[in-house]
Amino acid sequence: MPLFELRRSRLGRIRVFTRAQLPFVVGTFVVIVALAFGAPESLSSPFMCAAVVIVILASMAGALLPWERFSPSWLVTLAVTDIVAVALVRTEAVWLLPGVSMLAIFPILWIAYGFPPIAFTAAVGGAALMTSLPFFVRGSWPVTPLEWANVFTLPGLILAVAVVVNIAAQHLRRSGRRLRASHEERERALARARDNELVLRTVLDTVRSGVALYDDAGRLMLANRTAEDLSRAMGFSLSEAPYAGDAVLAADRTTPVPHHQQLIPRALRGDKVSDAVEWVGPPAAQRAILADADRVRRADGTLLGTLVVAHDVTEMADAAQLRHDFLRTVSHELRTPLTSVTGYLDLLTDHVRPDDAAATRYLSLVERNVLVLTDRINELLAAASTDTEVSPRPVTLSDLIASAVRAVSPRAERRGSSIQQIGATHDRVVLDPVRIRQSLEELLINAVKFSPPSSAVVIGQRVDESGVHIVVSDNGPGLTSIERTRVFDPFYRTPYARENAIQGFGIGLSVVRNAVVAHGGRVRVGASASGGTAMAIVLPGAAHDDRALDHPVSSAGGTFVTTEE
């Protein structure tokens, strides 16, 4: 009850007394003062004296008794006592001061507003007492209809007022409860939001990636500690235009990146940034960052903002450079003595007598191993090369494939296997014959190594409006979905290759991918019709189209279907 609610405290009791009983006491005092000036003889009446005593006692009880320790319903006795006092005052002074009846409004409103509807009986009974007490005092009953109306009108009006006030009080209580519930829910939601904000801030500041979120007007909404550190290293502020600095270099670590081409300006213009590499900071403390950025949109498609994420990949970049330098050094250091070994091996071969079968066999074995070692060194050199330059020129595709088949066929024959070329045509295409032949040889060598002995490796070709398609298929163990995603990574070897001690560094397929990508094409890997592996090279011809792999290449050896890159 917002107005007359008794809270379980001394302050609550004083508040109820001040709001409910004190106004009645003031009103009674005003009536007594008015009678003292207008009809002083009425103050000596027993009814008036009793009324004053009742008001004083009720007021003292309301102010001093610890009502908060009992049920709040006991306070209705104070309101009823006030009504009795009004009845006594009215009996004595209604003829002198008709407005004295208005004193009853205070206890009646208190009963109607602060107590359950059952307390209305006290209010109505009190009103009946006020109107009937004068007749008891005179010892006569009402005679005329007007006198009877006077007896019942006031109780009826008081009952009506009590009902209206009680309904209003209940409505106000319900509104108050809803308001408190809503306020408590907002407090809980605010607490949850603060907790979520704290968790989000902690997570963002803990991760090693820089995260910055801008609103649809380009104003900074959120940035973690890593993003702020990176922006300071780049020489600008995340919250102030132009959001670009001077200490920013391209991926080659030498070319300065102009302001309008740096990460945040591009993102705020609406460009989708993916895997952008920049070197930031002064020369003595440069750091490599790998950045992504994209627009954030609401469910209805409206722009919410722009999210920028930057990863510090300095350690990875340094490790890659170290690996590159190591491979170049090792390859060079191995090639130099191997050249000497090859030269002296040729001299030894020239001095061996033709009839010395044992020496000839030993030298042949050494020569084969020297060739294997040369291949491995060439693979290391290829892995150390960061740039794949191509020199395209017109060639006959079938002749190029046949050349690669002839180069690898001796390896296949030593395993009792064969290489079949299908779909041969006289189509001429424009490509780098050296790079593509090297790629085809790598695919054929892989297919031979992983196929069972005495099996067939098939290489097919097709040239149409969508481009040039070359598919190499084997009967080997195939690749899992996880292996297909990593098979082009340098130095990656499948568990099957390690378990069966199949020679190689895991570099060949990465060389193939680099050569094909340099042509603007792509390599796809999937399953062959026999359950093995199918590798497809797709080079742009009239137009680049991924539908190439949706059209199987048929031959006597089966159907080759590649499904994933």
Side-chain angles (χ1 to χ4, degrees), residues 127-212:
L129 176 64
M130 285 189 296
T131 55
S132 60
L133 185 58
F135 294 101
F136 283 105
V137 173
R138 292 198 305 266
S140 63
W141 292 98
V143 177
T144 65
L146 185 60
E147 290 177 340
W148 280 108
N150 186 45
V151 172
F152 293 105
T153 299
L154 183 59
L157 292 175
I158 287 175
L159 178 61
V161 170
V163 170
V164 172
V165 171
N166 189 264
I167 292 174
Q170 292 181 7
H171 177 73
L172 188 58
R173 291 189 194 99
R174 288 194 295 269
S175 298
R177 285 194 295 269
R178 288 195 295 268
L179 184 61
R180 285 193 297 272
S182 177
H183 177 72
E184 291 171 357
E185 180 59 31
R186 285 196 298 269
E187 288 291 335
R188 289 192 293 269
L190 181 60
R192 288 194 298 269
R194 288 172 178 166
D195 291 344
N196 292 337
E197 181 182 4
L198 179 60
V199 171
L200 176 61
R201 171 56 63 180
T202 303
V203 170
L204 289 179
D205 287 340
T206 302
V207 299
R208 300 184 61 184
S209 299
V211 179

Side-chain angles (χ1 to χ4, degrees), residues 484-508:
R484 292 177 188 177
T485 62
R486 299 195 57 193
V487 72
F488 295 102
D489 295 343
F491 302 103
Y492 175 75
R493 306 194 71 215
T494 64
Y496 180 86
R498 294 194 301 269
E499 293 169 1
N500 292 271
I502 297 177
Q503 293 182 344
F505 289 149
I507 298 174

Side-chain angles (χ1 to χ4, degrees), residues 422-466:
I422 62 173
T425 66
H426 296 290
D427 294 324
R428 291 181 64 78
V429 295
V430 179
L431 46 78
D432 186 330
V434 176
R435 295 291 188 186
I436 297 302
R437 174 181 168 172
Q438 179 187 13
S439 299
L440 295 178
E441 289 180 6
E442 290 289 351
L443 294 180
L444 290 171
I445 290 172
N446 259 10
V448 169
K449 288 194 300 185
F450 286 92
S451 292
S454 304
S455 62
V457 173
V458 181
I459 180 170
Q461 68 181 67
R462 188 178 78 251
V463 180
D464 55 26
E465 67 281 357
S466 63

Side-chain angles (χ1 to χ4, degrees), residues 66-118:
W67 297 95
E68 66 274 9
R69 299 181 183 177
F70 316 122
S71 172
S73 300
W74 285 102
L75 280 172
V76 75
T77 58
L78 294 182
V80 173
T81 302
D82 291 342
I83 293 176
V84 172
V86 173
L88 295 175
V89 173
R90 183 177 181 276
T91 300
E92 182 63 33
V94 69
W95 324 108
L96 302 172
L97 191 62
V100 73
S101 299
M102 293 300 297
L103 286 175
I105 198 67
F106 296 108
I108 289 172
L109 286 179
W110 187 5
I111 292 173
Y113 197 92
F115 298 98
I118 193 173

